[in-house]
Amino acid sequence: MKIGVLVPHSMHLAALTQKWEYDIGSDKVLEAMALADEVGFHSCNLGEHFIIPNEHLDLSGDHYFHTVVALGVVGGRTKNLRLRPTISILPLQNPIVQAKAWSSLDWMTGGRAEPMFGVGWLKEEFDMLGVPFKERGKISDEYLAAMIELWRSDDPQFEGEYVSFRDVGFAPKPVQKPHMPVWLGGDAAPVLRRVARFADGWAPQVGRPETIPDSIATIKSHEAWDGRPLEVYYSLEMLNIGAHHEVLNDPKATGGRDAQKIIDQLGWLAELGVTQSSVPLPPDLAGFEDYLDTLRWIGSEIIPKVASI
């Protein structure tokens, strides 16, 4: 089991963000990620929105980074951490520009970028960015295919409804071959079909963990599935977040300082097919230094003991 860490002060979600996070700036965020890298975390993760309607501020907040930009800065302060968002909203950005951003990140960090894409849920955000919300699934399929073509082909060509190109050059290519691992988030039926067609990794996001084995079977039964390895990421903290960022107060999402309990929970997830996860933070952290101590504790008491499960 590989353990990731959520970048602190990267979101203001009511269900996740602790009060001490609001008081730290970029210097401490990067200090924390350098420590996470040092003590053995596998990946760092952060979410993405571009603009939030006022009616959603109470639950979702408006503090989000552009994932590629933020992960690039984290990549400059770390050596081994895999750089992966919890979600990057695929239909909201031009695919050629996105492909360039991700390949640039991968090239500049020596092959550590792992884009995780989702189709998005906030209709008003789509409206403000001029993207048709009801077409987001079809747009995502086409964008993914176009981006992979740009990453893989020396003579990239694509003809679609939303994007077309030919007789072009595109470099740098990603360091990772044939391209960066592509992750997709979500557990709706169209997402599972998209995973079967395109993805190397899948994150159910707000789905219940008990449904993961059936979803994996569905993915692997799809005609587009070619037998490639599939990584599965699930964080217990997601049990506290509803589909529209509602706070669910699920006790399994609450962290603590009982190492064996956490190891048992991660073992349970592994039995369901999960290969990557995170450790929920204790809800009573006193501040940034306490957070750093918690990262050190996870690095010494949890990460080595779950590495083989």
Side-chain angles (χ1 to χ4, degrees):
M1 178 75 72
K2 302 166 187 172
I3 302 300
V5 59
L6 184 67
V7 177
H9 203 183
S10 60
M11 297 181 287
H12 287 177
L13 281 180
L16 281 184
T17 309
Q18 297 195 15
K19 291 181 179 180
W20 60 267
E21 294 183 56
Y22 293 82
D23 296 326
I24 66 171
S26 61
D27 56 337
K28 293 191 181 301
V29 169
L30 294 174
E31 178 185 347
M33 292 301 96
L35 176 62
D37 190 35
E38 178 185 330
V39 302
F41 283 84
H42 174 259
S43 64
C44 64
N45 319 102
L46 73 169
E48 181 175 80
H49 278 287
F50 298 103
I51 192 164
I52 302 291
N54 284 341
E55 63 187 286
H56 291 277
L57 291 181
D58 286 346
L59 294 177
S60 298
D62 58 3
H63 181 93
Y64 296 88
F65 299 111
H66 187 291
T67 53
V68 180
V69 174
L71 290 172
V73 178
V74 173
R77 286 289 300 270
T78 57
K79 297 179 179 179
N80 301 301
L81 275 183
R82 305 295 293 178
L83 306 168
R84 184 175 68 229
T86 54
I87 212 72
S88 183
I89 309 172
L90 181 59
L92 290 183
Q93 299 181 82
N94 180 284
I96 298 172
V97 176
Q98 287 190 79
K100 177 66 73 172
W102 283 106
S103 63
S104 298
L105 177 62
D106 199 58
W107 194 90
M108 291 295 291
T109 60
R112 290 192 281 142
E114 296 193 5
M116 182 187 291
F117 297 115
V119 300
W121 62 271
L122 186 53
K123 181 180 182 301
E124 297 91 336
E125 187 174 19
F126 279 70
D127 294 342
M128 285 183 277
L129 287 167
V131 178
F133 183 73
K134 290 184 178 180
E135 298 175 37
R136 68 195 190 282
K138 188 166 64 167
I139 292 171
S140 294
D141 286 337
E142 190 171 299
Y143 280 15
L144 279 169
M147 292 164 70
I148 290 171
E149 173 70 6
L150 289 167
W151 291 332
R152 294 183 64 161
S153 176
D154 292 330
D155 180 25
Q157 301 180 36
F158 191 86
E159 189 68 34
E161 180 180 351
Y162 303 100
V163 58
S164 299
F165 49 80
R166 65 175 57 251
D167 301 321
V168 298
F170 180 89
K173 302 292 188 185
V175 172
Q176 300 176 84
K177 303 300 180 186
H179 55 74
M180 293 160 285
V182 171
W183 288 73
L184 294 174
D187 60 353
V191 176
L192 301 185
R193 291 194 295 270
R194 197 169 294 121
V195 172
R197 181 180 174 191
F198 293 110
D200 307 284
W202 170 59
Q205 303 292 0
V206 297
R208 302 293 301 182
E210 294 85 358
T211 67
I212 289 174
D214 286 344
S215 294
I216 293 174
T218 298
I219 291 167
K220 294 185 176 182
S221 67
H222 195 278
E223 62 182 5
W225 181 254
D226 59 7
R228 62 194 177 278
L230 181 70
E231 294 275 349
V232 179
Y233 179 90
Y234 190 87
S235 170
L236 289 168
E237 290 175 302
M238 296 304 296
L239 289 169
N240 204 36
I241 305 173
H244 297 157
H245 294 170
E246 304 92 339
V247 182
L248 301 181
N249 293 316
D250 191 306
K252 290 190 183 71
T254 302
R257 302 182 189 277
D258 184 333
Q260 190 56 54
K261 180 179 178 181
I262 293 169
I263 292 167
D264 290 345
Q265 288 177 320
L266 293 171
W268 171 62
L269 290 178
E271 291 173 358
L272 297 175
V274 175
T275 62
Q276 301 189 29
S277 188
S278 63
V279 176
L281 294 176
D284 57 347
L285 290 179
F288 180 67
E289 293 301 325
D290 195 10
Y291 170 70
L292 295 183
D293 286 341
T294 301
L295 294 184
R296 296 185 184 99
W297 178 75
I298 295 170
S300 64
E301 299 299 323
I302 306 296
I303 291 175
K305 296 176 182 178
V306 300
S308 61
I309 64 173

